[in-house]
Amino acid sequence: QWTRRLEDELDNMRAAIALSLSGGVDNVIAVKYVVALMRFWTLRGYVSEGRQVVRDALALDAVTASELAQAHALYVGAALAYCQSDHVEARRMLERCLELRRALGDELSVAGTLSTLSMARLLAGDVDGAAATEREGLEIFRRLGERRGQALGLLHLAQIAVFRGDDANAGRLLADCLDLARAIENREIEGECELLLGEVAYEAGDPVTAGNHLKRSLVVCSDAGDKRGEANATWWLGKISLASGDVATARRRLEAARRAFEAFEMREALLDCLEDLAAVELAEGHADRAARIAGSCARARERLQIARSERRQRRWAAKEQEIRSASGSETFAAAWQEGQADGLAGSYREDRLALA
């Protein structure tokens, strides 16, 4: 499996990157490493390391002098920033990258940039802009006959549809995407399709179908060495357990996902998972703990400017009110303020909350 083989060579890769950044060889080679390692950094949880390499590469005169090299580095940097929910940085880098690639006339690269930019816009809450950008990219991919790009475009349009609450359209897009992903044997896209199909089934009130899709996503991602995908599937399986009333299993799965999200710095997913863990605390009779977690998450969402779909916002508002009612107004307010002051790291420590 390529990601695991590359992990065995990681120290050698780091030494080669350091040499290219220091001027021991042509500086532009650093950008070639950045492009080659982007998927590995993403799938195996080395996103912060990758972002630093991109920053170092973009600071090199040889890279800034080359529009092609600069565009490649900006694209990778933006994709990695998106993985950590840093949508402000992702949009900035992608918009500059798009300018460069349009000028260079590379249609395939333009389409890829548009597709990634659509997700950065969605994360920022610009749903219409995300959809328009993705449709433009998908049209180019189809004209060029680029099947992987088409699969990603369908997946992104499905994610936009889910954000809007248009689950029927999302299901149709995902069915087409899954067929294409399997045809081209792309396990990462297949795993994401199964994950989103699980979310659609969950929203439809069908936990059995949702669980089946999520378990398939977990297997596919594990086979592909996609640690981020495994964490996402584990988180959603925890949500299914919580919804079915199996609080002990929900805690175990959500805790596993939380640790992975923290390790990979997947900030949006971490906040969502922590809010689910607040619901676990409430189910176990610890409303004050739930309020503290909720306060810290609210502060983080405001600071990171992470948008939430209307459907998720309504659901969380109802849960927040349930926490408030269970704890009492004064206790809720005090715990909420404590969580905001502590931040994510301080508000949810296993030793502090005596987790099972």
Side-chain angles (χ1 to χ4, degrees):
Q1 210 283 341
W2 72 271
T3 56
R4 296 186 178 96
R5 290 198 300 270
L6 192 53
E7 189 130 28
D8 292 338
E9 296 295 325
L10 188 55
D11 287 341
N12 291 332
M13 294 295 101
R14 286 168 172 161
I17 290 169
L19 181 65
S20 63
L21 290 171
S22 67
V25 293
D26 185 352
N27 286 149
V28 175
I29 291 176
V31 177
K32 294 183 178 181
Y33 276 112
V34 161
V35 173
L37 291 172
M38 181 182 74
R39 285 181 65 218
F40 170 78
W41 282 330
T42 300
L43 296 176
R44 302 298 286 181
Y46 295 100
V47 174
S48 291
E49 179 179 339
R51 291 184 73 182
Q52 186 57 55
V53 173
V54 170
R55 293 186 193 102
D56 292 342
L58 284 169
L60 298 172
D61 291 341
V63 175
T64 57
S66 167
E67 291 187 342
L68 180 61
Q70 190 181 160
H72 281 317
L74 285 166
Y75 178 82
V76 174
L80 296 176
Y82 169 75
C83 288
Q84 293 186 332
S85 305
D86 188 354
H87 59 270
V88 174
E89 179 74 357
R91 287 185 67 169
R92 182 189 68 79
M93 297 179 91
L94 285 167
E95 285 165 359
R96 175 57 180 151
C97 176
L98 186 60
E99 289 177 8
L100 292 170
R101 286 181 164 174
R102 287 195 193 277
L104 290 166
D106 182 349
E107 278 199 301
L108 184 59
S109 294
V110 166
T113 307
L114 287 165
S115 189
T116 306
L117 179 58
S118 75
M119 291 294 94
R121 286 178 171 165
L122 180 65
L123 193 64
D126 180 8
V127 185
D128 291 340
T133 302
E134 189 59 65
R135 284 194 294 268
E136 182 184 354
L138 181 56
E139 182 181 343
I140 297 172
F141 282 133
R142 283 173 170 159
R143 187 169 70 250
L144 298 177
E146 213 295 309
R147 299 172 79 195
R148 181 179 181 276
Q150 291 177 54
L152 277 173
L154 291 169
L155 175 65
H156 291 171
L157 287 173
Q159 289 172 325
I160 293 166
V162 169
F163 194 96
R164 283 176 164 156
D166 186 358
D167 294 336
N169 188 35
R172 289 189 291 269
L173 290 163
L174 287 168
D176 291 342
C177 179
L178 191 57
D179 287 344
L180 187 51
R182 287 172 174 165
I184 63 177
E185 299 183 348
N186 190 299
R187 302 290 274 171
E188 291 94 48
I189 297 176
E190 182 182 349
E192 286 199 64
C193 276
E194 293 285 8
L195 181 79
L196 202 55
L197 282 166
E199 181 176 350
V200 169
Y202 172 87
E203 295 294 353
D206 186 352
V208 174
T209 300
N212 289 337
H213 282 299
L214 295 169
K215 288 171 186 175
R216 281 197 292 272
S217 178
L218 186 60
V219 170
V220 169
C221 292
S222 179
D223 289 345
D226 181 356
K227 291 183 177 180
R228 293 170 59 86
E230 288 182 66
N232 276 322
T234 301
W235 164 47
W236 269 97
L237 284 167
K239 291 174 72 72
I240 296 291
S241 298
L242 183 60
S244 68
D246 186 351
V247 179
T249 300
R251 179 181 283 287
R252 176 173 54 80
R253 286 171 167 169
L254 292 170
E255 274 296 329
R258 178 188 63 83
R259 287 190 289 269
F261 294 151
E262 286 180 343
F264 303 155
E265 298 183 74
M266 297 166 65
R267 295 174 182 133
E268 181 183 20
L270 175 59
L271 290 174
D272 287 336
C273 186
L274 282 170
E275 288 169 350
D276 287 331
L277 279 162
V280 168
E281 293 290 346
L282 179 64
E284 292 178 342
H286 305 300
D288 57 332
R289 296 176 182 176
R292 189 161 65 241
I293 297 166
S296 67
C297 289
R299 177 70 177 271
R301 283 190 183 278
E302 181 180 359
R303 180 172 56 83
L304 296 170
Q305 301 177 52
I306 294 176
R308 195 169 12 206
S309 70
E310 289 185 11
R311 177 163 56 190
R312 286 192 179 184
Q313 181 59 39
R314 286 195 304 271
R315 182 180 293 126
W316 174 245
K319 182 60 65 177
E320 188 180 299
Q321 183 57 47
E322 189 179 346
I323 295 170
R324 184 190 298 271
S325 297
S327 57
S329 297
E330 290 186 8
T331 300
F332 177 87
W336 178 280
Q337 289 299 323
E338 184 181 350
Q340 293 218 320
D342 281 351
L344 294 181
S347 68
Y348 199 82
R349 293 205 311 268
E350 294 188 40
D351 57 340
R352 177 173 182 172
L353 299 186
L355 300 180

